[in-house]
Amino acid sequence: SVRLKPSSLSVPATTVTGTVTDAQTGEAIPGVNVLLKGTRAGTTTNTAGQYTLRTEDEAGTLVFSYIGYTSREEPVAGKSVVDL
C-alpha cells in the first residue's frame, strides 16, 4: 500500500491589511465584510474602517461588501496593503 504524506513545502501565510472609506465623503466604513474570493477566509472592518486578513493566496482576490454599497473585488497581487 502507498501512503501519502503532507507536503513539506507549505505556502507561507501573508497578512493583508487596509482601510475601507466612502469614496464621496472619505469617512471610514465600519462593518464591511472582506472575504478572500472562493474561500471561507474573511473578516470585517473595525470602527476605524480597518481590517487584517491572513491568507495563503497572494494572487487571490478580496471581495468587499456592505449593505447599501456596490460590492467590489480587488486583486491582492502580492500586496500587503489593499485600501478601498
Side-chain angles (χ1 to χ4, degrees):
S1 89
V2 175
R3 292 185 181 198
L4 298 176
K5 295 181 182 179
S7 173
S8 61
L9 300 174
S10 63
V11 177
T14 299
T15 300
V16 180
T17 61
T19 303
V20 179
T21 55
D22 184 291
Q24 293 178 349
T25 66
E27 293 182 19
I29 306 174
V32 175
N33 291 314
V34 183
L35 300 172
L36 183 62
K37 188 174 184 176
T39 72
R40 293 182 183 194
T43 189
T44 58
T45 58
N46 63 18
T47 56
Q50 300 169 332
Y51 71 92
T52 299
L53 181 64
R54 288 181 52 83
T55 177
E56 293 181 359
D57 188 359
E58 291 182 351
T61 299
L62 297 179
V63 179
F64 297 84
S65 62
Y66 188 72
I67 296 173
Y69 287 78
T70 302
S71 293
R72 186 151 160 203
E73 296 185 7
E74 287 292 322
V76 175
K79 297 178 277 189
S80 61
V81 177
V82 178
D83 291 330
L84 184 68

